[in-house]
Amino acid sequence: MLKPKAIESFFAALEAANPHPTTELEYSSVFELLIAVMLSAQATDASVNKATRALFAVANTPQKVLELGVEGLERYISSIGLYHSKARHIIETCRILVEQYGGEVPRSREALESLPGVGRKTANVVLNVAFGEPTMPVDTHVFRVANRTGLARGSSPLEVERQLLERIPERYRTHAHHWLILLGRYVCKARKPECWRCVVAQVCEYPDKTPAPKSSTR
């Protein structure tokens, strides 16, 4: 496990490389963010953005999405995995938002997690991105990077989340999950991490660091 001094260096390097990280999901309201995150489970941000550009152009409030109905919503999100169940969850969530919250997305974790299709990770993303809370959403990228580098070691997302919140210095926590997601998505990849171009390679505890590829010669 990385020691506190190494963790400070780890996040200082990520901050220097990208001072203002943010989600790659496209949204213009808290509601749009919620829907985009719900759709992003087991799907790429790029595929979600492609679908929501068309969807949000015609339905960008709970009431408007509710008026589409399940079948109408499915026409916009059919390119995304698990779209049948996601459409049902989104319609039910929109119904609750309209009937119980005046069409607004609630700000409490308990209320968010009570919405159909909204688990801990989705609630964490909304609380962090929309409301600026220092939560730690743990997706596959964060889980892998945390375990691989020595930031945190755990067999479940919740275990890794708790360790990260305990170990990451407070000043980095609001942006930490963005840095870890981007690191995992573009550098610390699952099959073959690109360690030779990683800004935290010097403090990372991964023992089998990947060397730079040899330049091809003719």
Side-chain angles (χ1 to χ4, degrees):
M1 294 278 278
L2 292 179
K3 291 184 167 40
K5 186 176 179 180
I7 294 175
E8 170 67 35
S9 297
F10 189 105
F11 284 98
L14 292 175
E15 182 181 52
N18 184 5
H20 306 289
T22 187
T23 179
E24 294 186 325
L25 292 171
E26 297 173 1
Y27 69 99
S28 60
S29 68
V30 180
F31 173 71
E32 288 186 3
L33 174 66
L34 172 63
I35 299 305
V37 179
M38 291 176 71
L39 291 172
S40 70
Q42 299 182 46
T44 65
D45 286 0
S47 68
V48 172
N49 290 337
K50 185 176 180 180
T52 56
R53 284 175 202 143
L55 171 63
F56 294 154
V58 297
N60 62 350
T61 67
Q63 183 61 47
K64 289 179 180 178
V65 172
L66 196 56
E67 290 169 0
L68 288 177
V70 172
E71 291 185 3
L73 176 57
E74 285 183 346
R75 286 197 288 270
Y76 289 95
I77 65 172
S78 60
S79 60
I80 298 174
L82 307 175
Y83 73 95
H84 289 302
S85 60
K86 289 177 181 178
R88 291 196 302 272
H89 287 150
I90 288 171
I91 290 297
E92 283 308 305
T93 284
C94 287
R95 190 184 314 281
I96 293 170
L97 293 179
V98 169
E99 294 177 354
Q100 297 184 23
Y101 298 102
E104 299 295 324
V105 176
R107 189 165 180 166
S108 79
R109 175 185 297 281
E110 182 181 10
L112 284 169
E113 291 188 19
S114 73
L115 298 172
V118 177
R120 185 175 183 88
K121 186 187 76 173
T122 297
N124 275 337
V125 173
V126 173
L127 290 170
N128 178 274
V129 176
F131 301 121
E133 297 189 19
T135 57
M136 182 57 62
V138 176
D139 67 353
T140 56
H141 297 301
V142 175
F143 187 82
R144 178 179 67 255
V145 169
N147 276 285
R148 180 183 276 170
T149 61
L151 275 176
R153 296 275 159 75
S155 58
S156 71
L158 182 58
E159 188 177 358
V160 168
E161 175 188 338
R162 287 172 174 166
Q163 286 188 34
L164 289 173
L165 288 173
E166 288 176 0
R167 292 168 58 76
I168 296 172
E170 185 176 358
R171 67 180 294 258
Y172 297 119
R173 283 180 204 158
T174 300
H175 292 320
H177 93 275
H178 289 307
W179 284 318
L180 297 178
I181 286 173
L182 295 172
L183 184 65
R185 184 174 291 165
Y186 297 112
V187 180
C188 196
K189 300 175 182 177
R191 292 186 180 180
K192 188 176 182 180
E194 298 178 2
C195 305
W196 69 89
R197 67 182 190 91
C198 179
V199 298
V200 298
Q202 289 187 333
V203 294
C204 167
E205 291 189 345
Y206 182 56
D208 303 315
K209 290 186 173 63
T210 310
K214 294 181 180 178
S215 301
S216 59
T217 56
R218 295 190 180 187

